[in-house]
DNA sequence: ATTATCTATAGATCTATAGATAATGC
DNA sequence: ATTATCTATAGATCTATAGATAATGC
């Protein structure tokens, strides 16, 4: 019923919306939805609070917008897994990309973790619409690889979960890792460790799965 | 300076404090510190809001109390790792225990994840005082096992991180997993998958670490 | 007497809006 | 004329306290 008129956004419009969304990513990822305040976002964005509500209808809309933008970025590496590539290489490359995303986009990782941890109240539809189909398709690809004897037989679903878990852990639990690795050589062995683990797991003929 | 008098707690005192802390675990783990309200905790505990503040000095104190209690529970499995046991069995048992904790104590897992995700503002001292020494000790034990040729050589620190990550993932990201496994057979293969992965990784002579 | 609980409300914090003013684009 | 920004503040939500009342333990 209201003003549904879509005008082409001005340059200022675009720039300020971007500034707000970037500030929101900062604040939401650090404090969660409820923990974040418009004041913090406004200060981070360098705009006044009412001005922020000139560009977005409210806190909720800002959060939803940040989350949907995140979804694309987040699915990208899994979508990039090539069914025609060499199976082991494809998966190890995927692991590597996910680990790099943890390093380069920790805010995004934490924002995602926050949302899922709270039960995915706002992201649930996105998960069903976007993630679920991709997940099923990729599971099928991996299963086909295993059936063709090109990868050791494991449950593809838990394989993907374990890749997500291990790589995202470095961003999501950074505060803990910082404490535990404090004063130690600034090792970059996470990548090496994960490559070894998943290579060992997936190299054909390795899994003498008992019982 | 104030009333530091410690009286022995009455039965009602004990019971109500327990009810409050249990309710707080529910609410804090589901919504985070800021997202939780005293109203929710009061309702969940079946007590009035002012009554809750009769037993605890404030929201902050409730949260801190819940977190410190959690710490003991949380460290227990790692503390239980026996330096004199069979290395591979010890670690695989540890993995199994951690996975069972994810199933049986998902609230605790999420409360912990929430706190670390926000940068561990209240837990940082506990991490340094309790977790860090235990972590270092266990890393040394595992390293000794590897040096004795009883386990394949990997970085013990990342081994522990990956065990935490993979097992806790099933509690912390349950909302996502529920969506992705919806309609599928209610598999209990997570345990089997993790056992296979870590057995393959750690069985001596397996790791042909390149480069 | 002491411990526990209730009603009522103060005071702080936060989201959001109203309405006026300044800046920008034809 | 339209778009963008500012000041001031309404209204909702939350934490916490004051002060009275009820329940419990000697």
């Amino acid at each position: 019923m209201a003003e549904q008129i879509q005008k082409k956004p001005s340059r200022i419009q675009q720039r300020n919306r971007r500034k707000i969304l970037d500030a929101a990513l900062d604040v939401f990822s650090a404090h969660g939805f409820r923990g974040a305040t418009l004041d913090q976002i406004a200060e981070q964005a360098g705009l006044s609070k009412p001005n922020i509500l000139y560009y977005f209808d409210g806190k909720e809309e800002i959060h939803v917008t940040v989350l949907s933008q995140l979804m694309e970025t987040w699915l990208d590496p899994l979508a990039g897994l090539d069914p025609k590539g060499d199976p082991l290489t494809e998966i190890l490359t995927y692991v590597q990309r996910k680990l790099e995303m943890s390093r380069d986009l920790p805010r995004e990782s934490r924002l995602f973790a926050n949302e899922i941890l709270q039960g995915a109240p706002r992201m649930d539809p996105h998960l069903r619409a976007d993630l679920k189909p991709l997940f099923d398709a990729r599971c099928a690809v991996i299963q086909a690889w295993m059936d063709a004897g090109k990868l050791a037989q494991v449950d593809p679903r838990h394989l993907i979960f374990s890749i997500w878990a291990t790589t995202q852990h470095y961003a999501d639990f950074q505060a803990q890792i910082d404490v535990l690795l404090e004063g130690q050589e600034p090792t970059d062995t996470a990548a090496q460790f994960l490559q070894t683990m998943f290579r060992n797991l997936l190299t054909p003929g390795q899994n003498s799965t008992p019982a």
Side-chain angles (χ1 to χ4, degrees), chain A:
Chain A
M1 301 290 131
E3 312 84 73
Q4 291 285 38
I5 311 107
Q6 282 285 26
K7 298 222 176 168
K8 52 195 158 190
S10 70
R11 251 134 297 151
I12 289 183
Q13 178 98 222
Q14 285 187 313
R15 196 164 54 90
N16 279 350
R17 281 182 64 100
R18 241 194 298 272
K19 281 204 290 187
I20 292 169
L21 290 175
D22 189 66
L25 178 58
D26 253 42
V27 177
F28 283 135
S29 69
H31 304 103
F33 178 72
R34 286 279 317 262
T37 67
L38 289 179
D39 272 311
Q40 292 172 295
I41 296 174
E43 182 179 351
Q44 184 75 16
L47 297 170
S48 74
K49 183 162 44 171
N51 200 12
I52 279 188
L53 293 168
Y54 169 76
Y55 289 103
F56 289 91
D57 272 350
K59 188 183 179 181
E60 177 84 28
E61 197 200 299
I62 299 176
H63 192 237
V64 167
T65 306
V66 174
L67 281 182
S68 1
Q69 291 196 353
L70 166 61
M71 204 60 195
E72 303 167 33
T73 316
W74 220 235
L75 293 185
D76 198 47
L78 187 57
L81 202 145
D82 181 7
K84 280 169 277 178
D86 173 64
L88 195 54
T89 309
E90 283 300 318
I91 291 185
L92 293 180
T93 302
Y94 176 58
V95 170
Q96 187 59 29
R97 270 197 77 188
K98 282 291 290 176
L99 187 60
E100 283 161 7
M101 278 182 63
S102 251
R103 295 247 172 75
D104 302 336
L105 306 173
R107 297 181 306 170
E108 282 81 353
S109 188
R110 287 187 205 122
L111 180 68
F112 187 86
N114 254 309
E115 169 68 8
I116 303 294
L117 204 50
Q118 318 296 317
R122 289 160 247 264
M123 196 107 110
D124 188 275
H126 289 278
L127 295 181
R128 291 173 196 282
D130 302 332
L131 177 58
K132 169 75 165 149
L134 181 61
F135 177 77
D136 288 341
R138 287 305 178 253
C139 281
V141 168
I142 293 171
Q143 187 61 59
W145 283 339
M146 289 175 182
D147 291 344
K150 293 178 174 172
L151 290 179
Q153 290 274 359
V154 297
D155 191 316
R157 297 165 302 176
H158 294 287
L159 171 62
I160 292 178
F161 294 157
S162 71
I163 292 173
W164 289 345
T166 48
T167 54
Q168 290 171 11
H169 184 82
Y170 289 95
D172 301 343
F173 287 75
Q174 185 167 37
Q176 176 177 242
I177 290 176
D178 281 351
V179 169
L180 295 180
L181 296 187
E182 205 162 73
Q184 312 214 3
E185 343 86 83
T187 71
D188 195 340
T189 55
Q192 195 193 317
F193 174 87
L194 292 180
Q195 292 290 312
T196 300
M197 180 164 76
F198 287 109
R199 192 182 332 100
N200 272 20
L201 175 67
L202 294 171
T203 300
Q206 292 271 19
N207 287 359
S208 53
T209 322

